[in-house]
């Protein structure tokens, strides 16, 4: 994986596949999951993709894709401008920092890393919202325990499904590496 990470770029087709997957995840998150799961117990598939991009894709391509996903999520969420852009870029940067130190091949490792990043994303979201003037004590006091439990379960579910998606992303990468090898 290290030679791939240090490569200057990825094939355009592969980048487009990641972009389309991210768009599909965003559409599912904002439409399908909302209908199927009004309690917000859903996984954050876009976060899994962003962590994968930070671990396995060259810096420039992953940064551009993470930035696009942040802008699109901000536009779709209706929340404060820049909230998800800041969160996704921070998560991507942290994933880039750890990719040189740890091997993301084990499923347990993937679940642990995604759990920590999903928890960090939730903490960052609430912290940034408080900076925008949304008082956390009022939000948390008025929120039902179901909402807080849904946030915690969402973090756990995101971590539990992450190995499946990491495997899927690895298959995509493998397919394009094979095609690049055949062209040479």
């Amino acid at each position: 994986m290290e030679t791939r990470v240090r490569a200057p770029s990825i094939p355009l087709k592969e980048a487009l596949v990641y972009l389309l997957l991210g768009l599909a995840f965003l559409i599912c998150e904002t439409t399908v999951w909302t209908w199927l799961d009004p309690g917000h117990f859903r996984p954050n598939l876009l976060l899994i993709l962003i962590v994968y991009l930070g671990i396995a894709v060259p810096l420039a391509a992953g940064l551009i894709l993470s930035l696009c996903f942040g802008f699109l999520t901000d536009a779709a969420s209706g929340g404060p401008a820049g909230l998800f852009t800041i969160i996704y870029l921070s998560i991507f940067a942290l994933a880039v920092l750890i990719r040189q130190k740890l091997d993301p091949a084990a499923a347990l490792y993937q679940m642990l890393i995604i759990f920590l990043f999903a928890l960090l994303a939730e903490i960052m979201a609430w912290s940034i919202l408080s900076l925008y003037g949304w008082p956390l004590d009022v939000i948390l006091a008025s929120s039902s325990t179901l909402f807080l439990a849904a946030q915690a379960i969402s973090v756990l579910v995101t971590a539990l499904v992450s190995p499946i998606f990491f495997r899927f992303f690895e298959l995509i990468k493998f397919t394009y590496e094979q095609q690049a090898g055949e062209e040479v």
Side-chain angles (χ1 to χ4, degrees):
M1 179 186 295
E2 192 155 331
T3 57
R4 169 68 177 220
V5 169
R6 296 190 188 278
S9 65
I10 60 175
L12 182 61
K13 288 180 184 177
E14 183 178 355
L16 287 175
V17 168
Y18 291 134
L19 180 64
L20 292 175
L21 277 173
L23 288 173
F25 292 161
L26 181 61
I27 290 168
C28 281
E29 203 170 292
T30 57
T31 57
V32 177
W33 282 114
T34 305
W35 296 327
L36 296 176
D37 178 26
H40 303 287
F41 294 103
R42 56 184 157 252
N44 188 343
L45 302 179
L46 202 50
L47 180 87
I48 297 170
L49 178 59
I50 289 170
V51 171
Y52 178 80
L53 293 173
I55 291 173
V57 176
L59 182 64
L63 183 65
I64 290 169
L65 287 168
S66 297
L67 189 64
C68 289
F69 296 145
F71 287 147
L72 291 170
T73 305
D74 280 333
S77 72
L83 175 68
F84 289 99
T85 303
I86 291 168
I87 292 171
Y88 289 163
L89 287 177
S90 299
I91 296 295
F92 175 78
L94 288 171
V96 167
L97 288 175
I98 68 163
R99 76 178 171 194
Q100 301 299 328
K101 312 254 185 292
L102 302 169
D103 179 23
L108 185 59
Y109 165 79
Q110 293 165 357
M111 287 189 291
L112 176 65
I113 291 300
I114 294 296
F115 174 79
L116 293 174
F117 279 133
L119 186 62
L120 178 63
E122 290 296 328
I123 291 169
M124 286 179 66
W126 288 106
S127 300
I128 293 170
L129 286 175
S130 72
L131 291 175
Y132 274 105
W134 296 25
L136 287 180
D137 55 343
V138 173
I139 294 169
L140 295 176
S142 65
S143 296
S144 68
T145 48
L146 179 64
F147 177 73
L148 295 175
Q151 296 291 324
I153 291 171
S154 174
V155 167
L156 285 172
V157 169
T158 301
L160 290 174
V161 301
S162 64
I164 297 166
F165 287 93
F166 266 75
R167 182 79 167 141
F168 178 62
F169 301 146
E170 283 294 317
L171 288 172
I172 292 170
K173 184 171 79 168
F174 178 74
T175 300
Y176 285 101
E177 285 176 348
Q178 291 293 89
Q179 287 179 356
E182 291 174 3
E183 291 176 2
V184 174

